[in-house]
Amino acid sequence: MSDRPGALLDVLLAGGRRADRLTHVEHLPGRPGQHADWPGWADASLVAGYRSMGVERPWAHQVEAAEAAWSGRHVALATSTGSGKSLAFWLPALTAVRADRAAETLAPGRIESARTRGTVLYLSPTKALAADQVGGLQRLLDASRANDVKVSTCDGDTSFEERKWVQEYADVVLTNPDFLHFALMPNHRRWTRFLRNLRYVVVDEGHSYRGVFGAHVALVLRRLARLSAHYAPAPPAGSSEPRRGMDRPASDTGSARGLTFVVASATTADPAASAGRLIGVPSEQIVTVDTDTSPAGRKTFALWQPPEVLGYEAAQARAAAANDPAADAALAESLLIDPTAHDELGLTSDPDEPATPGDSPERPRRSATAEAADLLADLTAAGARTLAFTRSRRGAEAVATQTQDHLRVVSPQLARRVAAYRGGYLPEERRALEQALRSGAIRGLATTNALELGVDISGLDAVLIAGWPGTRMSVWQQAGRAGRAGADGLVAFVAREDPLDTYLVHHPEAIFAAPLEATVFDPANPYVLAPHLCAAAAEVPLRLSDLAVFGDPAAVTELLGVLVARGALRRRASGWYWTHAQSAAAMTDLRGSGGSPVRVVEAGTGRLLGTVDAASADGSVHDGAVYVHQGVSYVVETLDLRDGVALVARRDVDFGTWSRSVTEIAIHGIRDEEESEAPAPVGSAPSGDGPTGDGPTAEPAPGDEPSVPRGSAPNDAAHPAIQRWWGPIGWGFGPVEVTSQVVSFQRRRLPDLQILGTEPLDLPEHTLPTTAVWWTVPAEVLEAAGIDAETAPGALHAAEHASIGLLPLLATCDRWDLGGVSTAMHVDTEQATVFVYDAYPGGAGFAERGFHLGATWLRATRAAISRCPCTDGCPACVQSPKCGNFNNPLDKAAAVRLLDAVLAYAPA
């Protein structure tokens, strides 16, 4: 048996010249596949179609999942990347549709035949995945000669005429949760035919629905099931069968009247619990299929640490002594600081990098971006088809460009076989890149996590992961791209210059022996639930019998009372009504994206190059910014935020641009819990790490707000902050404003990042109104704990990191749903303060949970730090995977002393 991964690992090692960078190699054994027979109920034409496409017999897990779905059972299908999950849900769904089509053909004169033809809804988190699925589905139908099944995507890009055709004729619709929430359900009367006959709902990539986004999608699915039941035909007279919904007995045939959900995801912890929470049924009603019976090739998984490099001054002197310009350029390139690490874009969703360009330890290592570019170039030259995953769009462009530069010296033709793939490209560009990778026209693709999801790309030899992607689930999703379809593959994780990455490459058990994370979200969170109750009432007035769909009826009733008191809903004897002219769906932003994307347009031609997220536009496409698209550089001439357009001009430049933002956090008034009136709000104050330091943020969408505020729920930003005391220790909870503004940018020469100039910018402030919990420590308590002015920042920072990591255990959230700020002196509190805030407009209830469980929370935090066997701090205790201050300063020992001092005053 040929050892292709071993040969590719030799390519990375470069004949031993890079052997010191390899810290560990894990050999993961392959497994044989286990076949099963086609189910007897499966449509014969579909089976023939699959066979003509090379699937002579399905895998056993595909049949197990398909049998459960066909029998009307909800299914959680959690198997690895490339295990053929799509067959497991398309086989029963399409068989049901074709059976109904056959019944219609046999009774063409009967109107009810057309009315009861089953429909299928497929949901994916991205448009790209839906487009990929519809392509594969159409190939299956063509191979099966099953052209009677009408399939279409439908999303925000679909024209009115196409959308009308889908509403009237489509049997299978592929879309995303955003379209459901903002378009389909608010206009459900136009979708009556489709909703009345809805049989199957496929939720693909279910593991991606986590945190607040997951809670939103869970409530969207509950609203969908409610509308489907609303339109479902009543059971026959005298029948004991309930109206269609999710709580119905399983039927014996695929022509069940019930609505069946299939949640397909990567391998996760407790898939039944996650799927049940997502679709709103007890986990006992979920059939779990998590034994992967598809064949898997061997994987060679390498952990890789880039080498230490000399300081730039020493390197420059050494090159000058040699009088070698080429050596000078090579040394400067080796020092290139990861451009991913300095995406200072104001409020971002990936705020985990050093605060200022140029920060580095005394003995810096080569950047992961530069290292990944070298490795990708060598693999491409060796004929390997490779994906290189990066942590940002800018990183993907940088890896692709540097790889092309390396290969151009060897072969210009080879350089053209490397490209970048990221969000913000036009759909046709992404489709062309995907097809080029499938065909082999492109050998090397530097990508963001946009290709982590299940777009069908097989036959890859290797995967590079430049920087820890945040979770083990993501690591294994990305690694699963190597050696798909049972082939062997090579995976290399390239560590960034970050304590978390460094820890992982030297502690392989933290990757290979640790359990996978659970998918965490809470649909009962009142901050998330409240706007969905309003949306549900706008769709169909809420009745008492509906309340159980959304959670505990008593808790839902209480929340409805709050919404009535605030004027959001109107209570009548028959139920709860939405009576406002505004769209109730506009009250919530499922993804917290901050509004519509900014279009990047070439000024001279009017050509649309791509898009940039609204929250990132100020920092990435401001006037004078360098915008890179597939290795081609443009300079932004004008950014028009009102129209959402950035005009750019093609220009070759030898510099990059880095924006600088300032942040502030303000508390909106503080009162003691015993007081009935709140003092006037205090002014804003600078944050410690800055609100982008330890969590994602989001902005309210621009434009007029509805009369009911977004995120309306108990204790929202309309209420003043409250404070309680543990002796001298203060605990606060309430509304805060996290304000960010991009104020200037630097031009830095590439590759040595020498500053060429700084220019001011006049851009608007962006404010995140949210809720936070904070605790304060007076100077005398710090002093008694042996914490002075020098050690206080590290102690507070370490305690902040650890407390953010522990709060999800108490508040059923994700670490990425939180932000943190710590400072040795905050202007509002006038003391050392640690803030933890909800990273969503209006708050999400997580900080409030921390406030009410403060003693439990900090005791767990203290235990996690003190029990960790490390000496100075590690990812298991005080290091954060998303710290904006490069995990510096951190003082583990001082953090334990600080928490001991605080907890000494905690109630028993």
Side-chain angles (χ1 to χ4, degrees):
M1 180 182 294
S2 64
D3 185 12
R4 176 66 166 165
L8 294 180
L9 181 58
D10 290 340
V11 170
L12 299 189
L13 294 173
R17 294 190 302 276
R18 298 188 186 128
D20 60 326
R21 309 178 195 185
L22 183 66
T23 63
H24 178 79
V25 178
E26 190 82 7
H27 295 285
L28 305 175
R31 65 169 180 265
Q34 298 178 31
H35 287 287
D37 293 331
W38 291 99
W41 48 259
D43 181 89
S45 296
L46 292 175
V47 171
Y50 275 117
R51 282 177 168 155
S52 71
M53 297 171 68
V55 184
E56 188 62 32
R57 297 176 68 204
W59 307 119
H61 71 270
Q62 294 174 321
V63 173
E64 182 183 359
E67 290 278 15
W70 177 254
S71 67
R73 301 288 301 280
H74 304 305
V75 179
L77 175 58
T79 54
S80 61
T81 305
S83 59
K85 288 187 281 285
S86 60
L87 183 150
F89 51 74
W90 287 133
L91 184 64
L94 296 178
T95 295
V97 171
R98 296 213 75 213
D100 291 338
R101 281 283 189 180
E104 180 183 359
T105 302
L106 291 172
R110 301 186 64 181
I111 297 176
E112 58 268 29
S113 296
R115 288 180 176 174
T116 58
R117 189 173 70 241
T119 58
V120 180
L121 181 68
Y122 169 93
L123 295 174
S124 71
T126 66
K127 295 178 183 178
L129 182 53
D132 182 74
Q133 276 286 338
V134 80
L137 186 56
Q138 196 58 60
R139 288 191 294 274
L140 169 63
L141 293 175
D142 290 344
S144 305
R145 299 183 179 180
N147 296 323
D148 53 332
V149 180
K150 308 302 180 185
V151 177
S152 178
T153 57
C154 193
D155 53 42
D157 297 332
T158 306
S159 68
F160 175 79
E161 292 77 13
E162 292 175 301
R163 194 173 299 187
K164 187 174 181 181
W165 182 92
V166 172
Q167 291 164 351
E168 293 180 358
Y169 301 109
D171 301 306
V172 181
V173 175
L174 299 92
T175 187
N176 52 68
D178 310 79
F179 183 80
L180 278 188
H181 173 69
F182 288 110
L184 191 153
M185 292 193 294
N187 299 288
H188 57 87
R189 291 173 183 82
R190 299 177 183 174
W191 294 84
T192 299
R193 176 199 67 86
F194 186 84
L195 292 168
R196 177 190 295 124
N197 302 310
L198 189 58
R199 300 284 181 85
Y200 288 94
V201 176
V202 176
V203 183
D204 207 357
E205 303 294 343
H207 62 281
S208 66
Y209 301 116
R210 66 185 190 192
V212 169
F213 178 47
H216 279 304
V217 172
L219 292 165
V220 167
L221 294 177
R222 285 157 172 74
R223 287 163 45 205
L224 172 67
R226 176 173 174 259
L227 284 176
S228 177
H230 172 75
Y231 283 113
S239 171
S240 60
E241 183 181 339
R243 290 178 66 88
R244 185 174 67 202
M246 289 187 292
D247 291 321
R248 81 281 182 266
S251 69
D252 293 327
T253 70
S255 59
R257 294 188 181 89
L259 178 59
T260 300
F261 281 82
V262 179
V263 180
S265 78
T267 305
T268 63
D270 202 353
S274 296
R277 192 161 56 246
L278 189 63
I279 66 175
V281 303
S283 59
E284 296 77 21
Q285 296 184 21
I286 306 287
V287 175
T288 301
V289 179
D290 57 1
T291 300
D292 193 340
T293 58
S294 64
R298 297 170 299 161
K299 276 193 174 59
T300 299
F301 203 128
L303 304 186
W304 193 274
Q305 186 172 33
E308 291 181 350
V309 294
L310 297 171
Y312 180 69
E313 293 81 3
Q316 194 174 39
R318 187 170 167 184
N323 194 25
D324 184 356
D328 183 30
L331 285 166
E333 190 276 335
S334 73
L335 284 166
L336 177 61
I337 295 177
D338 192 341
T340 309
H342 308 293
D343 267 340
E344 292 185 358
L345 306 180
L347 301 178
T348 71
S349 59
D350 189 19
D352 60 339
E353 312 295 353
T356 58
D359 287 352
S360 61
E362 292 181 4
R363 300 178 65 184
R365 291 186 179 273
R366 191 163 187 250
S367 77
T369 297
E371 189 77 357
D374 274 5
L375 301 180
L376 181 58
D378 288 353
L379 289 169
T380 302
R385 295 168 63 185
T386 308
L387 282 182
F389 284 98
T390 67
R391 291 176 53 90
S392 73
R393 296 180 180 185
R394 192 171 185 173
E397 293 283 0
V399 169
T401 300
Q402 292 177 48
T403 303
Q404 291 165 349
D405 291 342
H406 296 328
L407 291 172
R408 199 169 286 116
V409 178
V410 179
S411 166
Q413 183 179 4
L414 200 57
R416 289 192 290 270
R417 301 187 72 174
V418 173
Y421 182 103
R422 58 172 175 80
Y425 285 174
L426 301 179
E428 53 269 28
E429 286 183 293
R430 293 198 301 268
R431 299 291 82 73
L433 287 168
E434 292 162 10
Q435 180 56 39
L437 187 62
R438 291 189 191 101
S439 67
I442 286 180
R443 284 190 192 169
L445 198 62
T447 178
T448 61
N449 61 0
L451 280 181
E452 181 181 314
L453 301 179
V455 175
D456 184 17
I457 296 174
S458 59
L460 298 179
D461 300 300
V463 164
L464 303 175
I465 303 174
W468 184 250
T471 65
R472 295 179 190 87
M473 280 194 299
S474 290
V475 166
W476 292 113
Q477 276 288 96
Q478 294 178 6
R481 291 297 194 181
R484 282 172 67 123
D488 296 346
L490 171 70
V491 183
F493 165 54
V494 182
R496 292 174 53 251
E497 182 70 294
D498 176 88
L500 172 60
D501 287 28
T502 301
Y503 177 88
L504 291 168
V505 294
H506 290 287
H507 293 80
E509 71 280 359
I511 297 175
F512 302 110
L516 293 171
E517 303 88 353
T519 304
V520 179
F521 56 92
D522 182 13
N525 183 332
Y527 293 83
V528 178
L529 176 57
H532 285 280
L533 291 176
C534 292
E539 290 154 7
V540 177
L542 283 167
R543 316 295 185 194
L544 281 171
S545 59
D546 294 325
L547 302 190
V549 172
F550 298 99
D552 175 38
V556 175
T557 301
E558 181 180 358
L559 185 54
L560 287 169
V562 174
L563 293 172
V564 170
R566 296 189 181 182
L569 296 177
R570 183 168 295 180
R571 180 72 164 103
R572 292 289 182 265
S574 56
W576 290 264
Y577 292 78
W578 173 264
T579 59
H580 302 276
Q582 299 95 329
S583 169
M587 290 177 62
T588 190
D589 181 354
L590 301 188
R591 301 175 190 261
S593 58
S596 301
V598 171
R599 293 162 291 157
V600 181
V601 177
E602 189 172 18
T605 64
R607 181 168 65 103
L608 178 64
L609 296 177
T611 61
V612 174
D613 294 339
S616 303
D618 285 11
S620 58
V621 288
H622 54 75
D623 294 1
V626 175
Y627 176 81
V628 181
H629 184 91
Q630 281 294 354
V632 179
S633 59
Y634 300 82
V635 175
V636 178
E637 295 183 340
T638 305
L639 171 62
D640 187 334
L641 290 172
R642 181 179 296 276
D643 291 338
V645 175
L647 296 178
V648 301
R650 170 78 176 89
R651 194 178 306 170
D652 291 322
V653 295
D654 61 353
F655 61 86
T657 53
W658 282 263
S659 62
R660 174 178 171 266
S661 63
V662 295
T663 56
E664 295 180 334
I665 187 167
I667 303 172
H668 280 247
I670 302 176
R671 64 176 172 83
D672 288 341
E673 284 186 305
E674 299 81 14
E675 297 177 11
S676 58
E677 296 184 1
V682 297
S684 62
S687 65
D689 289 342
T692 61
D694 291 308
T697 60
E699 305 165 21
D704 295 334
E705 293 292 327
S707 59
V708 181
R710 186 188 298 263
S712 178
N715 295 315
D716 69 7
H719 294 266
I722 57 176
Q723 185 161 289
R724 67 163 65 113
W725 296 93
W726 298 350
I729 306 298
W731 273 87
F733 166 75
V736 298
E737 282 193 350
V738 179
T739 303
S740 176
Q741 182 181 22
V742 177
V743 296
S744 64
F745 74 97
Q746 288 183 337
R747 292 189 182 90
R748 288 178 168 254
R749 190 176 65 193
L750 299 175
D752 62 355
L753 297 185
Q754 179 179 337
I755 297 174
L756 302 178
T758 301
E759 291 191 23
L761 291 169
D762 182 17
L763 290 166
E765 292 183 339
H766 295 279
T767 300
L768 171 69
T770 186
T771 54
V773 57
W774 60 90
W775 44 277
T776 63
V777 188
E780 59 270 21
V781 174
L782 291 175
E783 184 178 354
I787 299 172
D788 56 21
E790 183 178 350
T791 56
L796 293 161
H797 195 192
E800 172 213 330
H801 280 184
S803 63
I804 290 174
L806 269 293
L807 186 55
L809 299 179
L810 304 175
T812 55
C813 64
D814 190 285
R815 184 169 192 154
W816 272 253
D817 293 327
L818 304 169
V821 176
S822 57
T823 175
M825 178 60 66
H826 192 273
V827 174
D828 290 350
T829 64
E830 300 182 358
Q831 293 181 348
T833 308
V834 172
F835 290 86
V836 176
Y837 62 83
D838 298 338
Y840 294 89
F846 310 138
E848 182 180 13
R849 180 77 169 164
F851 177 73
H852 290 302
L853 296 173
T856 302
W857 178 25
L858 286 198
R859 288 190 182 105
T861 300
R862 195 268 182 203
I865 300 175
S866 63
R867 293 175 183 172
C868 186
C870 71
T871 303
D872 300 317
C874 71
C877 56
V878 300
Q879 293 176 2
S880 169
K882 54 195 187 71
C883 177
N885 269 10
F886 206 37
N887 280 303
N888 183 56
L890 292 175
D891 191 326
K892 176 183 177 180
V896 173
R897 297 199 304 273
L898 169 66
L899 291 169
D900 283 339
V902 170
L903 288 168
Y905 297 96

